[in-house]
Amino acid sequence: MNGAESLIRTAVAAGVTVCFANPGTTEMPLVAALDSAPGMRAVLALFEGVCTGAADGYARMSGKPAMTLVHLGPGLANGLANLHNARRANTPVVNVVGDHATWHAFADAPLASDIVSLASPMSGWVRACKSALALGGDMADAIAASLKPPGQVATLIVPSDCQWDPAPSAATPRVPVQRAAVAGQTVERVAEFLRRKRPLTILLGGAALSEKGLRAAARVAAASGCKLMVETFAARIERGAGIPSPERLPYFPEQAIKALTGNEFIVLAGAKDPVAFFGYQGIPSRLVPEGCALETLARPEEDIVGALDELARVLGAPVEAPVPAAKRPAVPSGKLDPASLGAALAALQPEGAIIVDESATSGGPYGAMAAGAGPHTCLALTGGAIGQGFPTATGAAIACPNRRVIALQADGSGMYTVQALWTQAREQLNVTTIVCSNRAYRILQIEAARAGNTEPGRQARSLTELHPPEIRWTDLARGLGVPGVRADTADDLVKHLERALKEPGPSLIEAIL
Ligand SMILES: Cc1ncc(C[n+]2csc(CCOP(=O)(O)OP(=O)(O)O)c2C)c(N)n1
């Protein structure tokens, strides 16, 4: 066995069985090892941002890390934006980055760079392998590091001699660290605040957005009369009829501050102290209003669901709390706009759908409309680095082959990582994409108007309009092996969506907004 085989065998033994790869010369022994060590599924992506985004989507849905395989510093650098999103989602990801042979490093060959420095800002754990003998153990450590609650990006840099030199064996998987229980005193302290019946909001994030977490939180609210809100961009949230559906903290800081005003207490359950997405002149960074006390029930890495359950218990909460009834909007007709688009999707999405939402300004109306749809899962853009939607949908579909993935994809964001469509076609993944084709960076136009620039100049307009030329999404999709159709009206969208959701494999609908 060589080092590369020991790495792959170690990964498979630890349950890491998917590798999103875009390799080069320095990874050739690892590429060869994929066939000699059974149990690993290798998936080629045509850009590293697709590898990292797919690994994020895969782990959000499976709870297990995927490995990526990328080529030296430049390959890793191409994947950094989606690693940033994975970091903000607390997703376990194991990046394996090839490097020049240790003895070739002195030569400063053209592709050489400081990979540790490139990896560090987006990784919670970084190690450069020193020898083939250590490689299996390094991989086992990387996997364990990625799974350290609440989950993080781990990057292992593997020089090519560490891959091809002999290695004795694979390493045994490390015992995973469990989430720490929240202290009884902390739960009791929060219960005390709740018993005072003063205005209090519990802000839910991370594992609190699982079905169990949402149910426990709803029981707490039913017992105490407190309000529940969910963080603005959730890595993963369960939604639909029968699942409690708290209001989402608004995106714009003025609205978020307004939504939180009037509380005497805000309690964090898996969410972070909420802050404005950007600094705006005259608006505070922190969204918790002045004079409002902030308490933490559970940090993202703690046993959030256990803490909410315990809180419900000490409050003597009812066993069941109110949940949204099954109620879908009517199938829309006529003009295609964000409201009719949202209605079409909420009306037609199948039970168990996974909604990958990178819809930016076009997805607003959809969320409320889908609260009574069949149970489903939503994955949002957590780190604000656009270009996550197509790759995340790809990874989610590999994690859950029996569920329909629906990517609600803004057009500008989609163009960053459109190559993912090719991987969806090659792997025949059940992903239905709706491109929200407003032919603009609309959010930037909104931001310009908010800043008082209501009549932007020619150049400013040219930086926020996506035409001319018109991006022909149906041609793009077809060119990458995915059938594509165009919807000009709500009726078109309904017709295309009904058909696409029945057919296996990927497809794309360009919704002209
Ligand atoms: C990696 C990265 N580059 C640039 C941006 C800045 N940015 C934020 S939104 C946006 C455009 C969004 O346009 P689109 O995806 O079409 O959605 P819309 O606003 O039109 O709904 C840009 C360029 C970003 N957030 N991330």
Side-chain angles (χ1 to χ4, degrees), residues 19-416:
C19 173
F20 295 104
N22 190 280
T25 304
T26 40
E27 295 77 43
M28 281 302 133
L30 277 165
V31 170
L34 290 165
D35 287 308
S36 59
M40 180 68 78
R41 175 175 179 185
V43 177
L44 178 62
L46 303 184
F47 175 66
E48 294 84 348
V50 176
C51 299
T52 53
D56 185 1
Y58 174 88
R60 288 196 206 185
M61 289 314 303
S62 69
K64 297 191 301 182
M67 68 178 264
T68 68
L69 181 61
V70 296
H71 186 50
L72 299 114
L76 175 65
N78 278 342
L80 286 179
N82 274 334
L83 286 179
H84 163 86
N85 290 323
R87 182 173 79 92
R88 290 294 183 189
N90 294 322
T91 306
V93 174
V94 179
N95 288 310
V96 175
V97 186
D99 197 3
H100 288 301
T102 50
W103 45 261
H104 191 52
F106 85 98
D108 192 28
L111 267 164
S113 66
D114 180 353
I115 304 177
V116 171
S117 291
L118 285 169
S120 294
M122 308 310 179
S123 310
W125 183 99
V126 183
R127 184 182 294 170
C129 178
K130 296 278 189 301
S131 82
L133 297 180
L135 188 48
D138 286 342
M139 187 61 173
D141 289 346
I143 294 165
S146 77
L147 287 166
K148 186 175 156 224
Q152 61 181 352
V153 175
T155 300
L156 178 61
I157 301 159
V158 190
S160 25
D161 51 336
C162 301
Q163 300 172 40
W164 65 53
D165 281 350
S169 59
T172 43
R174 310 294 186 233
V175 178
V177 178
Q178 300 296 323
R179 286 173 178 269
V182 169
Q185 288 147 301
T186 306
V187 174
E188 191 42 55
R189 191 177 145 81
V190 172
E192 236 348 275
F193 294 134
L194 286 162
R195 287 189 194 108
R196 288 186 209 168
K197 304 276 180 199
R198 305 300 302 161
L200 185 153
T201 293
I202 303 181
L203 184 61
L204 305 167
L209 308 181
S210 62
E211 192 173 334
K212 272 189 174 165
L214 289 165
R215 282 193 199 291
R219 291 175 59 219
V220 169
S224 64
C226 77
K227 185 171 173 180
L228 302 175
M229 291 195 97
V230 303
E231 60 189 355
T232 313
F233 297 111
R236 175 176 177 168
I237 180 168
E238 302 307 314
R239 302 196 75 222
I243 303 171
S245 182
E247 204 179 299
R248 200 170 85 134
L249 186 67
Y251 168 74
F252 285 116
E254 303 90 315
Q255 295 167 10
I257 292 169
K258 198 163 155 225
L260 295 175
T261 296
N263 283 298
E264 281 183 26
F265 299 96
I266 289 174
V267 173
L268 303 175
K272 285 169 74 171
D273 183 359
V275 296
F277 216 80
F278 296 103
Y280 296 94
Q281 294 174 64
I283 297 177
S285 294
R286 289 187 63 225
L287 302 175
V288 171
E290 292 261 334
C292 172
L294 186 72
E295 290 291 329
T296 300
L297 172 68
R299 293 196 300 268
E301 68 275 18
E302 292 178 317
D303 179 7
I304 306 161
V305 178
L308 285 165
D309 266 335
E310 182 58 11
L311 186 57
R313 193 190 65 77
V314 303
L315 290 169
V319 179
E320 293 291 342
V323 290
K327 183 170 178 288
R328 290 181 184 250
V331 172
S333 174
K335 188 169 182 282
L336 188 51
D337 57 20
S340 58
L341 186 151
L345 179 54
L348 298 177
Q349 66 182 66
E351 198 156 302
I354 299 165
I355 309 293
V356 176
D357 184 356
E358 192 176 41
S359 55
T361 62
S362 300
Y366 163 74
M369 290 175 177
H376 61 282
T377 304
C378 291
L379 313 181
L381 173 63
T382 44
I386 59 177
Q388 186 204 35
F390 283 128
T392 301
T394 305
I398 288 182
C400 300
N402 298 323
R403 295 177 66 175
R404 173 64 57 166
V405 177
I406 302 173
L408 196 53
Q409 179 62 62
D411 53 355
S413 302
M415 282 305 294
Y416 285 64

